Structure formats: C-alpha cells, structure tokens
Amino acid sequence: MTPHLRRVAVLGVVAAIAVWACTEDITAPGHCGDFCPSEKITVLDTVLDTAITRDSAYGRPVGYINPHNAPVMLVESLPGVRTSRAIFKFNPAQVLRRVIAPPDTTTGPLLQPDSVFVSLRILRHDAHATNLTVHLYRLPLTIDSTTTFTDPAVSDSFSTALLRSVNIDTLLAQPTRRDSIIALDTVHFDTITGDRLAVDSVGGQEQFVLIFKLDSLAVPFDTTDSARAAFGIRVTADSFASIAVGTSDLGQGPRLTWFNRFDSLGTIVGFRQSAQGGTAGAGAFDGFVFTPPTTALDSNLTVGGMPEARSVLRVKLPRAIVDSTQIVRATLILIPSDSVRGVPSDSFRLFAHATVLDVGAKSPTLVDPTLLPDSTVIRVGLTDTVQIDVTNILRRWQIDTLMPRTVILQQGVPIGGLAYNGASFAEGRFYSSRAALQRPRLHITYIPRITFSP
Amino acid sequence: MSRVLRYLILAAALLPGVGVRALAAQDSQFGVSGLGTPGRFESVRSRATAGAFAAFDPLSSLVDAALGWADHLTISTGSATSYRAIEFPGSRTWTRATRFPVLGLSGSIGHGITIGGGFATYLDKSYDISTRDTVDIRGVPVPVIDRYTSDGAVSDLRVAAAVRISPKLLAGAGAHLLTGSARVRAGRDFQDSSYIDTFEASELTYDGFGASASVIAVPLPSLSVSAFVRSDTRLRARENGTLLSRNDLPTTVGAALRWQPGAAATLAASVVSQSWGSAGANAYSTVNWSVGTEVGRGMPLRLGVRGGHLPFGPGGGAPSEFGIAGGTGFRFSEGRGLIDLSLEHLSRNGVGLREKVWTFLVGFTVRP
C-alpha cells in the first residue's frame, strides 16, 4: 500500500467512524431522587369556591334558538310532561299552467295530481319507542312563527284533518324494494298506501326518511292559492313518543312533490314538480308548537331547552395561578338545582365556550377550529354534580391575558355526528353564585413555575 | 493550499457530527446532582495515556508552561464518541454521545515566548432523563412520565503564554474565561388524557474566571518535572439575566514527571488535586492520578491508567473512577499533520449507580 493510499484509507476509516457515531442518544433511565436535577415538577390542586361571579342565564322568553329557526322540529307526546307538534308550510308550486301544443303558446291549467308525496327526514327518534306512529295532518295556510299550540285553527286541524297515520314499526316490517320514483333509494314499501320508509345511518345515528303518498282528495292542487299546502305532524307511541324532524334551517326540511296531470289536446300526460324551496323562504315556514310553555328563567343557571337558554359566567382567577403556573386541568363544578328535564334516556352535551367579547347575553362564543370545545355529557334525569373540563379555556386565558374571563354554557345535541343548539327540549338548571352553598366552583390542577437548578 | 490543509479540510468535511454540538468530552449521570461533569484538559494524544502526559503536552491545556515546546504554529482539535452503560440496581441501559471536547492554537512569537489559546470543556451540563411515576391527583393515582433535559456546557476559553527561561526551565501562565449556556427543559406527560401534558423550557447562562501558572523543569535530559496551579473564582448562573446561583470553583494543584529511559520509550505520571468540595451540595474535593507510557516512533503505542474520584455525586461520598486507555497516532506530510486515535474505558462507582464508559477519540493536529 502506497503512503497516499494509506492516508486515504485512514481518513476513510475516521470518516466512517464519525458518521456512525454522530447520532446522539443520551437518554438515561429514570432513577430519580438522587440522580435527577434538583428541580421537581410538583402538581398542586385547589378548589376555588368563589371564582365564579356575575353569572346569569339568558334566553327566555325569546331564546337564542326558537321553534321557528330551530334545526329540527321537535315532536313529542309525553303525557303529563309535554305535547309538541310540528307545523310546516310549503312554497307555491312552480308551475300552474302549461303550453298545450307548442309552438302555440296557449296554455292550459294543470289537472289535479294523481299522487302527492310529502317527505320528512326523522333525524332522531327514541330507539326504545314501540308502536311509534307518525300522524300527518292538513293545516290551514295561516300558520307562521307566531302560531301557538292553542291557536284554534291549528288545534282544530289536529283534531279533524288527519291525512295519514304511519306506524313506523309496521312499515319497517314491510319488505324492501328499490324506489326509483321518489326516494331514489331502497325503501320499506307499504303496498296498500304507497308510503315509504328509507333507513340511513348518519354519524352513527339511525335516521328515517318517511314518505307519505297522498292523493288529490287529501291534498288538492288549489291553483287559486298557487297550490300552497301546510301540514302538521303528531306522534304517538306506547312510550317515549319523541322524534326530531329536519327543517329547512338544517337544509333537511320537508319536501312536497306533485305528480300532476295535464291535458295536451286530449292526451293526458304526467308532469312532476316540487314545491320550490320546500319549507324555506319568506312564504314558507317550518317549526313546532308545544304545551305547556317552557318554564321561565329564575336565579339559577339554565342551559338548553326551547327557547334555547344559555348561561354566562364570569371567572375571577387568582393572579398567581394565571401568571406563574401551567394549568393542566380545570374543572367547572355545577350543582343541579333540579333534575335535568327531558325525554327519558335522552342526553345532550353541555359546552363551555370562551368569548372574545363580553357583551352580556349577546357575547359571541369563541370557536377554535384547532381545539375541541370543552364539554361533558348530561343525561336527562341527572341530579348529580356536573363536572365540565374547562382546561382549554383557562390555558387560553393564560396565553391571551386580554381575553374576557367569561364562560358561556350552552347546549349541544348530536345530530348526524355534529352538535346543534336548540335541538332538544331537555334543559339543565344549575345553582348560580347566588346560592352560597351550592354555587359553581372551579377545580384547578396546576404546576407551579419550575426553578431550574443551575 | 498545502497537502496538510487539504487533508484537514477533507477530514472535517467527512465529519458531519462534529461541530454540531460543541459539548463536553465526557458526561456522567453523577454530574447531574452537581454543577456538571468536569471536562479534561487533555488532547487526544494525552487521553491515550490516561492523561499522564498532559502536563508535558503543548496540545493539552492543563499546563501552560508546556506551550514552550510548541515552536511551530500548531492547530489541534478532536472529537470523542462515548458509549456509556448506566447500571442501577436491577436495571442497565446504554447511552451514546458524540462530543467536540477541545480546540487549541499555539505558536512562537520569538524571544523564547510561545502563546496559545483555545477552548476546552470545563463542565458538561448535558443530560436527558426520563422517569415514570404515579402521583395522586384529585385523589386518583395518575401515571406520569417526567423528562428533564439539559443541553449545554461551560467552556474554558484560554489565553496563555509560556517562556523558555533556560534550556532546563519553562514557565507559563494563562487566563481563563469560563462561559457557556445550557438549554434546559422539564416536562410532564400524563397518561390520563384528562390532564394536559406540559413542559417548561429556559436557557441558563454561565460565567466565571480563572488564572493558571506552571513551571516545567528538566533537571536531567531524560527527566522532566512539572508543577502547576490554577485558581478559578466562581461560576455564576443566570436565567434571563437574573442571577440564579453563585458557586465557588476549585483551586487546582498538580505535579507530574516524565522519564525517558530510551529513545523510543517514555513514562509519565501525574497527580492533580482539585478543591471541588466548596462548589455546593453533593460536591467533594478530588485527587486524581494517572500513569502512562508511550513506546515507539512513527506509530507509537500509548497506554495509561488513571484513578481518582468524580467531584459530584449523591450519597455522601465522591464516586470513584478508574480508567485504562490506549492509542496511537500517525504523522503525514512530513510531520505537518497528525492524526491521533485513542480508546478509553472508565469505570465509575457511586452510591446506587455504576457507569462504564467506552470512549473513542480522534484528534487532528496541523502544523502548517
């Protein structure tokens, strides 16, 4: 080996060793006490009894969400508790007359339809309900957002104008078939009435699309009023008669489809059309009426219900905790003043939101797309203390010291995997800071600032 | 550009790990309980003799008077890769680290005066420790994993001069600026997702000052004797400009002798005492010794043993240390370039902990 080659070989060996050795791995095993740095991570825990102040509930009689702008129409028949009925009015039919024989522009009126389909999406129902029956009524066109349960025109119609009753269990027992006419899906089909029921699963939640098939006797094509039509829904069951029907506010409102006929120079032809826009828009409406009216707000903190109520809480945190610690968990402790009301076996989420601006009842909630909001599940009938994690909120306050230290409690009801406000009658009532012994408390677990050992 | 420089640049380019982290030569978990792990002011060549030749080695920064033998401009550096077995009762693990412990520059300015400087690790402050524990929070046992890390060191920036008073006597003195920083981090991960994992990080800065003086006598052509002393003042640690601590630093006193019975054989021995005992909690004054030999020319064989104590460790007593080392070196480009290789094994014993460390060192020296 020449001296030059020898030098190159030596350099190569050195380089190889260096490359092989350049990775660092200096993690030592954990036998602390004697062999760890003197700084220690300590966890402290405290319950702040008077941290919650200036707390109030808002949302009655006019709620954050009201029946006319709710994401669902709540339909319930709970004897002794509540009766609620859906009411909705469709937009006019798009076409009332057609050209008889083109190119002649003379038009003639559409004839009465041979069938009319009313479709509903039942977004939520109680799985324990048996003999769940949905009743469809014809209602007067006078219904709107001011209509109440005791409005004579409405209450009379629910007594006399029944169009169809469909037992969901019975319809589910029917064989399935492909419906290429109206549902465009596989449906359970009633061969006698022509009613259809499609079953979906959205976000782990079973949903129904219920389609009533009616005729022109039940739903006349009244051209004097642009073929507008209004309907009502009532529900019965052996127990737990409660459903939530999608509305136009959710983009899943009822649909009305006319299968009109038309006389084209003696030839009767079919013509299909839908109520344009369904129940959305100024001329249409969807909502629900119920009795008894929801209890008014009191000195307690109310969340949920209909009209939807929310509670606003202000938090006074010790400066030492905000400035010099790392909060690893914070829990808001609420004591119910009454058992949570609603349909048995039902539940909802209680959300705690921060706000960027505290303007009282109209404080906007802060939604951070990068963080799941702090929440906990509340079950109807609950009387135990409610604990809701507000760790994210408090940590955000530590970062942004200019944020108002205000927490907004609001309800979220899961529909198709998402949580919606104003989608349930269930409401929780919790003691406010005015109840000295049962007032809301804040449980904070934190790590004080570490002093590093030199 | 000379061939030497070309080789040096080529070697440096092939060493991606070196220079990434200018850290200490030797870290130890014993140092976590004190100010850190003291570095060794020894070149790779001296490390091959367990430090016995450091008192007579102009490439080492232990004795300033040895610069008097550096009659050419000399640049030296080195890297060290350590494999450390940490043995607790009932458990054992390996760690690995690559360091860049020493850089030196020296040269004669005439009239028998040589000046030199460079840096060496004074205290290594790098560690990464994970522990598992279960803590009671809100009345519920919650498993946690804590992790403490520190990445940094205190470096000794030295400016020194040596003068050859006579053919038989050299004297030297140096000034030492101690400076450095460590990025520290302490974090806790909760196994219960109800709790948010957290950490806190900071950067600590250090400063201090020291002075050294030494003499080397050559009473016989085959015998050299060295005596040296160094006094370091205090180490101040600051966090964001706020003084955290002030620790006394040791006075170092040492002596060494070198005997050359033949043209191709040299023996050396040294003893060094350091008063680390005043440096704070878990600190002890130490006395360390080493004996080594170098045999042969061209590619000499170097061997050595060392013993003594580490200055920091828990348990009421200084951890003991014993090491053996060996190595060799190459000359090329008519002696203008040197590559030194060294392999060292250290055994450290303290209360509740044993460490076994293998360290491979590569040193480069250029004399343009």
Side-chain angles (χ1 to χ4, degrees), chain B residues 79-364:
Chain B
S79 73
T81 302
S82 296
Y83 294 83
R84 191 159 54 102
I86 303 162
E87 299 175 358
F88 291 98
S91 68
R92 174 188 174 112
T93 191
W94 282 89
T95 67
R96 183 172 67 174
T98 297
R99 306 296 189 215
F100 185 40
V102 65
L103 175 71
L105 175 68
S106 62
S108 172
I109 59 171
H111 307 289
I113 298 173
T114 305
I115 60 170
F119 74 81
T121 299
Y122 188 81
L123 283 169
D124 177 17
K125 293 180 147 313
S126 296
Y127 55 81
D128 185 339
I129 297 169
S130 292
T131 66
R132 289 178 182 273
D133 200 354
T134 299
V135 294
D136 260 15
I137 309 176
R138 301 185 177 196
V140 177
V142 178
V144 297
I145 298 175
D146 290 348
R147 189 172 182 191
Y148 303 90
T149 63
S150 172
D151 186 0
V154 179
S155 293
D156 175 7
L157 300 178
R158 179 182 74 134
V159 176
V163 60
R164 192 187 293 261
I165 298 171
S166 75
K168 292 187 177 182
L169 185 63
L170 294 83
H176 304 262
L177 177 63
L178 306 179
T179 181
S181 65
R183 291 186 295 275
V184 290
R185 184 183 190 278
R188 169 164 288 182
D189 291 350
F190 295 91
Q191 301 301 289
D192 180 346
S193 60
S194 302
Y195 297 90
I196 292 182
D197 297 342
T198 183
F199 74 92
E200 193 168 326
S202 187
E203 181 159 349
L204 308 181
T205 57
Y206 303 92
D207 66 83
F209 184 74
S212 58
S214 54
V215 294
I216 296 176
V218 187
L220 298 172
S222 60
L223 183 67
S224 303
V225 179
S226 170
F228 51 93
V229 63
R230 170 173 173 165
S231 178
D232 298 315
T233 56
R234 77 283 175 277
L235 185 69
R236 290 188 301 195
R238 298 175 190 271
E239 182 181 12
N240 298 323
T242 303
L243 185 65
L244 279 185
S245 69
R246 178 189 177 104
N247 294 86
D248 287 340
L249 293 175
T251 297
T252 303
V253 177
L257 64 83
R258 182 178 65 177
W259 179 45
Q260 191 167 11
T266 309
L267 297 170
S270 71
V271 60
V272 179
S273 171
Q274 291 184 289
S275 59
W276 279 107
S278 58
N282 296 320
Y284 310 95
S285 295
T286 61
V287 176
N288 292 289
W289 57 266
S290 63
V291 177
T293 184
E294 181 177 294
V295 181
R297 292 185 171 184
M299 281 183 61
L301 174 65
R302 299 170 181 139
L303 296 170
V305 295
R306 72 164 85 226
H309 293 88
L310 290 171
F312 302 108
S320 65
E321 181 181 62
F322 180 80
I324 58 173
T328 187
F330 307 92
R331 290 170 180 264
F332 52 92
S333 296
E334 299 170 347
R336 293 174 184 270
L338 298 171
I339 293 177
D340 293 304
L341 303 174
S342 172
L343 185 64
E344 180 185 68
H345 180 262
L346 293 172
S347 294
R348 294 164 172 161
N349 284 291
V351 177
L353 173 66
R354 294 173 61 191
E355 285 185 347
K356 295 187 183 305
V357 189
W358 285 98
T359 304
F360 177 72
L361 301 102
V362 182
F364 300 96

Side-chain angles (χ1 to χ4, degrees), chain A residues 264-332:
Chain A
S264 178
L265 296 178
T267 303
I268 303 299
V269 294
F271 179 71
R272 171 180 173 163
Q273 64 173 329
S274 297
Q276 189 179 23
T279 56
F285 167 75
D286 54 20
F288 53 100
V289 293
F290 56 91
T291 189
T294 309
T295 314
L297 298 178
D298 53 19
S299 64
N300 294 311
L301 304 175
T302 304
V303 179
M306 183 55 62
E308 189 215 0
R310 299 177 187 175
S311 291
V312 179
L313 294 72
R314 279 80 179 189
V315 183
K316 278 173 58 179
L317 286 175
R319 193 169 174 180
I321 291 180
V322 177
D323 294 347
S324 305
T325 71
Q326 294 202 45
I327 295 172
V328 294
R329 188 177 182 186
T331 309
L332 178 63

Side-chain angles (χ1 to χ4, degrees), chain B residues 25-51:
Chain B
Q26 197 68 58
D27 53 8
S28 166
Q29 190 141 352
F30 289 109
V32 176
S33 58
L35 294 181
T37 304
R40 301 188 191 284
F41 307 123
E42 299 162 356
S43 67
V44 175
R45 175 187 172 188
S46 295
R47 288 285 287 273
T49 61

